[in-house]
Every structure is written in structure tokens, then in C-alpha cells.
Amino acid sequence: MNRQIVILNGASRSGKSTIAEAIQATFPGIWMNLGMDAHIACTPPRYRPGVGLRPGGTYPPVEGRVPPAELENSVPLMFAALYESIAAHARLGLNVVADVGHHETYTRPRGILTDCARRLADLPVLFVGVRCPLDVIWARREATWGQTPQSVTADVVAAVEAGQETVHAQRAYDLEVDTSSSSPAEIASAIRRRLEEGPPGSAFEQIAARP
């Protein structure tokens, strides 16, 4: 298998990270995980969640963090840096898997996904849509953070529900998976078969060609 880039796009708690771990554990060669979790961990606390800024277009001020407008204005640059890092690793011959949650519902259009796709224009990319029913996502949020729709604020509920729609709004994937019906290992196997048998990914090429 030649060097590859696999972009896993889905809502928070949809199961992207465990798929990335399964890819690293079972695919041949070196697979670097350069997704959102790793990038957010590198981000100064006052600018977090950085590339993980939730959809919705309104962000209340948080003590210890920069103002919402400054935070949002930094997101396109952070995504650009993340994808340039993905490109650099791939050009040196390393495989990359990245779990992300792309959306375009900021206070104004940002064109982030299109810009990111263009940064990988000369590289092989498989764009995978990671879907999961809302009730399963809430069950996972409760198991991880103790969150239920009744225990969090209305804006968090709205963001979780919006995330299900907005992260998949571009409707251009090379492969779509559902983590409520398939295990991370099964999904990783399906991704590997697609990489080995083809056809090559073309979704990012379509996205990069958008005006």
C-alpha cells in the first residue's frame, strides 16, 4: 500500500478516534494520527477548542479564553496549519489518518473545507463520512462526560444536534460508515479494502474545485 491520507469526518462522539486507533493498529506501515484531538492538545488553552469550535455561529465568552470573535478568526489559520502538516507528513512518505469535524456554520462563511482540500490537491486522499445516530451520540456523551440533554444548557443541546447535520453538509464522501452498526475494527477493514481495491478517492478533488 502506497502512502495514503484518510480523513475521518464526523460529529463529536461519533467514533472517529477509535477508528483512527484501529487503523494505526492494523494497517501496514507507519500511520500518523494528526486529527483534531492532537491539534487541540497543541493549542494554547486560551484559544481552545481551536479547530474544534462547535457549529452554531454564537459562542458565549469563557473566562480565560480569548473573545469569541478572535477565537473564530483564528480557526481558518489553525485548520490550514493542520492540513499543511498532514501534507508534509505524506510528502515525506508517511501515511496519515486524521479525525476531524468540518462544518461551515460560523458567524460568516469561511470556506475552510475547500481550502483544506486544496492543500492536499496533489496527494491521495480518502474522505470518509463517519455517521452515528443522535441517540447513540448522547449515550456516549453520558458515558464519557455524564452529559444528557436534560443536564446541559440549551446551547449545548443545539450544538450537538446541529453537529449531526452540519458536519455532513458537503455531501461528498468516498466512503460512508455508521459506528452504531459496525465496530471500529470492521470499519477499519472496510477502509483498508477501499484503499487496496479502489477506486481512488476523488471527493477532495471535487471539494477543491468548488468556487
Side-chain angles (χ1 to χ4, degrees):
M1 187 185 297
N2 295 324
R3 82 192 190 296
Q4 295 283 345
I5 298 170
V6 174
I7 306 293
L8 305 169
N9 187 59
S12 174
R13 307 308 300 166
S14 60
K16 306 182 298 296
S17 297
T18 51
I19 297 171
E21 291 170 0
I23 287 173
Q24 286 188 301
T26 61
F27 283 23
I30 301 173
W31 280 83
M32 305 298 291
N33 185 346
L34 299 178
M36 289 176 64
D37 289 346
H39 198 269
I40 292 171
C42 296
T43 302
R46 68 184 182 279
Y47 281 93
R48 292 178 186 170
V51 295
L53 195 64
R54 68 174 185 262
T58 57
Y59 322 106
V62 177
E63 185 177 357
R65 294 183 182 173
V66 299
E70 183 179 352
L71 177 58
E72 182 181 319
N73 286 338
S74 71
V75 170
L77 177 61
M78 290 184 179
F79 262 116
L82 171 59
Y83 273 78
E84 287 292 339
S85 180
I86 292 171
H89 279 72
R91 290 190 181 108
L92 287 170
L94 294 170
N95 303 297
V96 177
V97 57
D99 54 305
V100 296
H102 277 289
H103 66 86
E104 292 294 335
T105 51
Y106 299 99
T107 56
R108 62 181 177 84
R110 298 284 182 171
I112 292 173
L113 179 58
T114 300
D115 177 72
C116 290
R118 290 170 180 168
R119 293 177 187 277
L120 303 186
D122 60 333
L123 296 164
V125 181
L126 192 74
F127 194 32
V128 181
V130 180
R131 297 184 181 273
C132 185
L134 187 58
D135 61 329
V136 176
I137 284 181
W138 275 115
R140 292 173 179 172
R141 294 180 75 94
E142 182 176 11
T144 304
W145 301 310
Q147 291 184 347
T148 67
Q150 296 76 33
S151 69
V152 296
T153 59
D155 66 312
V156 173
V157 173
V160 172
E161 294 178 351
Q164 283 294 90
E165 299 178 4
T166 56
V167 297
H168 298 299
Q170 88 303 312
R171 306 295 184 195
Y173 288 119
D174 298 305
L175 179 67
E176 295 189 53
V177 299
D178 187 334
T179 61
S180 69
S181 57
S182 300
S183 70
E186 291 170 336
I187 292 172
S189 294
I191 293 172
R192 181 171 178 177
R193 286 195 300 272
R194 177 59 190 272
L195 290 174
E196 292 177 339
E197 299 171 5
S202 62
F204 254 36
E205 294 177 6
Q206 299 172 34
I207 294 169
R210 292 174 182 170

